[in-house]
Structure formats: C-alpha cells, structure tokens
Amino acid sequence: MNRRLFTFAILSSFMLFGCDNTATVSAPEGEATSEKVTAANDDPISIGYSDWPGWVAWQIAIDKGWFDEAGVNVEFQWFDYSASLSAFASNQLDAISVTNGDNLVNAASGSEGIIILVNDYSAGNDQIIAKPGITSIADLKGKSIGVEKGLVDHLLLNSALTDNGLTEADVTLVNATTNELPQVFTNDSIDAVSIWQPNANQALKNVPSAKAIYTSADKPGLIYDTLAVSPASLSAHKAEYAKIIQVWGKVVNYINDPATRDDAISIMSNKVNVPAEQYKDFLNGTKLMSLEDNKKVFEKSDALSSIYGSSYHVNQFNIDNQIYDQQLDIDKLIYPNLITQ
C-alpha cells in the first residue's frame, strides 16, 4: 500500500527538510507492467496506478472487461508509486493515480495534473501510533515523534496537533522514511510515529500495547486519492475520460454490493498478493467515492469535504513546510465538468 513516496529526483529542489535525524530517501526502482484493455487503435490512454485500495480497485474493471464494454481504449500501467510520478513528469503517461497533495507538488515542479475524479479518501489507514502511557494527542507534548517530513502523514500529524491546541514546536520531529518507521518506533527515544498502512500494522506488532491515538478517520477529507490527467490528454480525450469515470462508478458499486464484494476483494487482494481477509481491513480504512459522492466532493468550498478545500489546506501546509515557495492556483488543477455534467 505504498502510495505516497515522492519522486525526490524531481522534487529535491522543493523539499527542504530539517537536518535533525534526516534519513536519505531514494525513489524505489521497478519497471511498470501494463494491462492493455483494448486494441481499438495504436494510441490508448495510458494511466499509471499503484498499490492503494482506491487504485487497485481499477483491476476489477480491467479483469471484467468493462472498458471494452464502454468502448474506451485505455492501458493501465502498474508502478511503484514514486516511479509513476516520474513517468508522468516525463510524459510517458496520460494520467496518474495520485494523492491531491502529491499532485500539488508535481504541479510546483512543472508537471501539472488536472484532477477529474476522486477515487477515495483515507478513512483510518493513516495513523498516529503511540507507546503505552500515551493515550491522546495532548499527551504528545514534549515527546519525540517519528515521521517522514513533507509527506501526507506529516500533514496528518500537523493537523492532529493543531486540532488539540499544539504546534510542532511542542514536540520533537524525527525524520525517517515511512518504511523505516516501524523499526524506528522500537527505539526508546521515540514516543510515537505517524505512519500509513501496512507499515502501521508492523509498528503495532513491534511495540506491544502500542495503539493508534489518532487516524485519518478523525479528519475525513484531509487525504484524497485521485485520478489526475495531463492538460493535453484531457483536452484531446474528454469523451473517453467521461467513459472511464462511468466505469469507476460501476467498480464502486461492485465493491459495495454484498453479493459481489467478496469477488471484488479477491481480485484486488490477488493483484497485490495480500490475503483477502487482511485486504478487507485495508479496504475498510478507505472510503471509496461513488459518482454521487464525487458530485458532492467537487462542489467548491473551503471545507475538507470538498476536493477544493482539502487542496487549499494542503497547499498552505506545503508552503509552511517549504516544500515549494509559491501558492499554486488550486482551481486550475481541478476539473469538475466530467463529474457534474
């Protein structure tokens, strides 16, 4: 479920992390694999997707042949998440599965993606986990917290502190890559970690009696997972993207229908080689967005219930943490028309 590792080769000039306990991060390597859905012509729409439930769900439509039925020529390419960002930045993909926050960082580096669909929001898979004796965010005052600075669980931690009357000045942040945090958590000097699944489960296993004291379920809409399209591809293929969105609605219905949910989970868990029972837990921590949900989330407001409001919030967080230094035009990076038409 490694959906949020920035492509530091692209973004290094924007990521100005502090020097305390900073770990060196490199983008994971690995070649993409493709699922070509139809051979109607030689130029299918290419979409990068990665290991996160809201994106793995596309596999249902691929396996069921629903894109063929919809008459849309699309090729889904499977990536390590950060590699997909690199591919999109180098114009190897027409569209990408990306968090709304990472989409902003891409845009700041010159690789604009226009959000046309919200697949889901994190509803518990991102967690702040604390050692025994710490039972609330307020208890973190004066404590040391492991987090990968600049990524979405730094955003989660920042929001949790703010909501409880604290600031980052009240705690000590220890920077480490997310996949290292379960081991970092075993260090006596670390009191808590801010981390996403499945690393969160590993952290809980590593420290007996540790527990999650705050999760993304406490802040719905803070972290959205989306489909973002290059401006050129969107301009050329609006009709095709409208069909892709309709297929997404069919996918969500298939997952949510009790009669077909087990088959849906089987397809998704097989794609990522995770036992179906375990995958149910991951899926439960992900609020999939139906087409009706999308109509609501694309309504413009400053609230986190809106993709606009959430992105405004992340934009300010990125500025405050020197991920980039100029406010982005959020409205330019969101295209609601295909959902609202």
Side-chain angles (χ1 to χ4, degrees):
M1 299 201 8
N2 186 14
R3 83 190 195 281
R4 303 187 187 97
L5 294 177
F6 284 126
T7 308
F8 283 83
I10 301 172
L11 307 175
S12 59
S13 63
F14 301 95
M15 304 293 284
L16 303 178
F17 291 163
C19 61
D20 58 315
N21 298 284
T22 299
T24 301
V25 183
S26 58
E29 297 179 352
E31 296 182 358
T33 58
S34 299
E35 297 272 7
K36 190 167 184 179
V37 177
T38 182
N41 59 59
D42 293 333
D43 297 306
I45 292 172
S46 57
I47 299 177
Y49 71 133
S50 308
D51 188 359
W52 175 258
W55 301 331
V56 178
W58 287 116
Q59 195 66 38
I60 297 167
I62 295 167
D63 287 5
K64 298 293 184 182
W66 290 343
F67 293 105
D68 282 336
E69 292 177 9
V72 60
N73 188 10
V74 60
E75 182 179 37
F76 278 81
Q77 298 185 26
W78 182 257
F79 285 91
D80 289 334
Y81 180 56
S82 63
S84 73
L85 299 182
S86 293
F88 185 74
S90 59
N91 298 314
Q92 297 175 39
L93 292 170
D94 297 307
I96 187 174
S97 300
V98 64
T99 68
N100 61 322
D102 289 359
N103 191 55
L104 300 187
V105 180
N106 275 358
S109 68
S111 179
E112 286 191 356
I114 312 300
I115 293 174
I116 64 168
L117 174 72
V118 173
N119 299 93
D120 68 87
Y121 64 77
S122 179
N125 282 333
D126 296 85
Q127 303 180 0
I128 298 173
I129 296 171
K131 287 181 175 173
I134 300 173
T135 61
S136 68
I137 294 298
D139 292 342
L140 292 177
K141 186 172 184 179
K143 306 296 186 182
S144 295
I145 306 169
V147 65
E148 188 162 0
K149 291 185 179 179
L151 271 65
V152 288
D153 281 357
H154 183 188
L155 171 66
L156 180 73
L157 175 62
N158 182 277
S159 296
L161 293 172
T162 299
D163 288 349
N164 285 273
L166 301 175
T167 71
E168 291 185 10
D170 294 311
V171 300
T172 299
L173 300 187
V174 179
N175 190 36
T177 58
T178 298
N179 62 351
E180 294 173 340
L181 286 173
Q183 184 59 39
V184 169
F185 192 40
T186 65
N187 192 301
D188 290 342
S189 66
I190 302 297
D191 301 294
V193 289
S194 190
I195 193 170
W196 62 77
Q197 293 286 21
N199 298 290
N201 277 355
Q202 188 58 54
L204 288 167
K205 291 177 182 177
N206 286 356
V207 179
S209 298
K211 68 176 184 178
I213 60 172
Y214 190 97
T215 78
S216 51
D218 295 304
K219 200 76 171 179
L222 182 68
I223 303 166
Y224 284 107
D225 300 292
T226 75
L227 179 65
V229 182
S230 73
S233 184
L234 179 58
S235 177
H237 298 289
K238 286 180 182 176
E240 289 90 340
Y241 282 114
K243 292 178 181 179
I244 290 169
I245 287 171
Q246 291 299 316
V247 170
W248 174 255
K250 192 172 181 178
V251 167
V252 175
N253 290 341
Y254 196 79
I255 294 171
N256 289 340
D257 187 339
T260 52
R261 185 173 177 83
D262 285 347
D263 183 50
I265 290 174
S266 177
I267 292 170
M268 296 169 70
S269 62
N270 285 340
K271 178 63 179 178
V272 295
N273 298 313
V274 171
E277 285 302 312
Q278 183 179 354
Y279 207 81
K280 287 180 181 179
D281 291 336
F282 293 156
L283 195 56
N284 288 337
T286 309
K287 169 56 179 172
L288 296 176
M289 303 292 283
S290 68
L291 297 191
E292 286 302 313
D293 293 330
N294 266 268
K295 288 179 182 179
K296 295 175 183 177
V297 83
F298 273 93
E299 293 176 359
K300 188 179 293 187
S301 84
D302 292 333
L304 293 181
S305 57
S306 165
I307 185 64
Y308 290 92
S310 177
S311 298
Y312 297 153
H313 181 80
V314 181
N315 193 28
Q316 187 59 53
F317 170 82
N318 288 342
I319 292 292
D320 292 343
N321 286 275
Q322 299 181 306
I323 295 171
Y324 46 76
D325 57 12
Q326 293 185 352
Q327 291 279 350
L328 298 179
D329 184 352
I330 299 300
D331 293 4
K332 181 181 175 183
L333 300 174
I334 298 172
Y335 186 77
N337 297 38
L338 297 181
I339 288 293
T340 58
Q341 69 184 13

